[in-house]
Amino acid sequence: MRRTLFVAAALLPMLLACKEQPKQEATKAPAAPEPIPSDIVYNSFFASPSGAADLKVAFDGGAGDGGSAGAGAADGGEPREGPEAAPGKIQVTEPGAEPRAKLQYAFALGRAATVTSTITLSVSAPGQPGAGDQPPITFTYVITPKARTPEGKTHFDIKISKVDVALPPTVPQAAQQKAMLEKSMVGVEAGFDASSSGEVGEVKLASDKVPRMAQQILPLVVQSFEFLIAPLPGSPVGIGAKWASASGDPQTGVKLVTSYTLLAQTATTAQVRAETSLSSPRRAVDDEQLPPGAMLEEKGTGSYVVDLRLDGVASRAEGSMSNSKTITVPKQGSQSMVIKQSQKLESR
């Protein structure tokens, strides 16, 4: 999708650590319910700096230093300042078959939709703890176009109603922490503005009451919003039309290109295929868990089919992406990791 983060953020190290405990401890129950650990630190080795090319998250509070899961304008969004402004524009490369019409959103105020989004991760990293298939996470939330902004955009409110981590039966500690994690996310609110052409601005999460452990899955919460609205070209298009968007982070050199193909359309719907390609130059890694001089190189591809509603958010989206990372440490050689992520979204 246009703002695909290529993030493998929430690998749930707390839950995975419980999963990896020796078998002889599996029958031991704690004397009292254990709180969610407060000393878990997000491991940026699993994260992707490509998030800097996508949706920006402005945490209203409680998310540490107020950082973001992604910075900068979304594809087709408001132009950046400086040399990176141009890539944010939509380019039509094929207008498609006749008849052609201009695609445009007309969001119906007050029409709420219940969205269910399931994200599944699989990490291939020989010798790395926590690799393998990760527990699928399903987010359910209600999204409502609430009001028009002075700029003519539509403001959307989001409220999470349920989070489900599909962890298999394991030690009691994991079950308790899983329940606490899921409960802590219920009621979390977010919001963003979108234009009639699908430009999406900053996503704000009211996360002041989210425990630190749960904050690790906030990037995946944002990623579950990624298929709700797609950028649309400004000129008339028909079936088979192709348009593309590019974004990048001048600090890291990460580039994300998304190509779209119009597969079907009616007066109120459109089906598109979005294919993403990510690349970055070899660059230094800012991670306290790695020795000085460590370098990172990454690349990735993804493909999704999205059923858009022109009067609201997408009714369905499904696809997957693969992101390859290689870390090189001086005098220690290189180590590679491949992260595959699948996502399925439905709304009603």
Side-chain angles (χ1 to χ4, degrees), residues 29 36-37 63 67 70 74 85 88 106 131 154 167 170 178 213-214 225 229 236 248 300 310 326 333:
I36 294 177
T154 301
L167 193 70
T170 181
K178 159 184 153 66
M213 178 59 231
F225 305 157
I229 300 171
L310 300 181
T326 299

Side-chain angles (χ1 to χ4, degrees), residues 14-15 36 163 165 167 173-186:
M14 171 269 295
L15 296 177
I36 294 177
V163 175
V165 181
L167 193 70
Q173 294 95 320
Q176 293 167 354
Q177 291 171 334
K178 159 184 153 66
M180 293 177 69
L181 175 63
E182 294 171 344
K183 183 178 179 180
S184 70
M185 294 300 299
V186 174

Side-chain angles (χ1 to χ4, degrees), residues 3-13 40-52 54-59 62-71 117-121 137 139 141 158 160 163 181 185 188 190 203-207 210-227 304 321 341-343:
R3 305 179 302 273
T4 305
L5 299 178
F6 286 98
V7 169
L11 293 184
L12 301 179
I40 300 295
V41 178
Y42 172 63
N43 184 357
S44 60
F45 182 74
F46 292 105
S48 172
S50 67
D54 310 312
L55 278 181
K56 182 178 180 181
V57 181
F59 295 106
D65 60 3
S68 65
S117 177
T118 299
I119 296 177
T120 304
L121 300 171
I137 304 179
F139 301 98
Y141 50 87
I158 300 172
I160 296 176
V163 175
L181 175 63
M185 294 300 299
V188 170
V203 174
K204 294 184 178 181
L205 286 171
S207 57
V210 178
R212 187 175 179 181
M213 178 59 231
Q215 289 168 17
Q216 295 191 65
I217 72 171
L218 291 181
L220 285 187
V221 173
V222 177
Q223 191 156 354
S224 72
F225 305 157
E226 293 301 288
F227 301 95
Y304 291 84
M321 63 187 74
Q341 177 172 313
S342 300
Q343 183 166 350

Side-chain angles (χ1 to χ4, degrees), residues 75-143:
D75 295 356
E78 297 180 0
R80 299 168 180 263
E81 297 180 358
E84 288 299 320
K89 302 297 183 180
I90 298 294
Q91 295 182 341
V92 177
T93 56
E94 171 58 54
E98 296 283 2
R100 297 170 186 159
K102 185 176 179 179
L103 297 175
Q104 194 170 36
Y105 292 103
F107 301 116
L109 294 183
R111 184 182 296 174
T114 299
V115 180
T116 301
S117 177
T118 299
I119 296 177
T120 304
L121 300 171
S122 180
V123 181
S124 176
Q128 286 290 320
D133 294 337
Q134 310 302 314
I137 304 179
T138 299
F139 301 98
T140 302
Y141 50 87
V142 176
I143 179 168

Side-chain angles (χ1 to χ4, degrees), residues 29 38 62 64 142 169 177 196 202 207 237 253 259 287 295 297 304 306 324 329 335:
S38 60
V142 176
Q177 291 171 334
S196 59
E202 182 176 289
S207 57
V237 292
S259 300
D287 190 327
M295 303 293 289
E297 185 175 5
Y304 291 84
V306 186
S324 174
V329 178
Q335 186 167 24

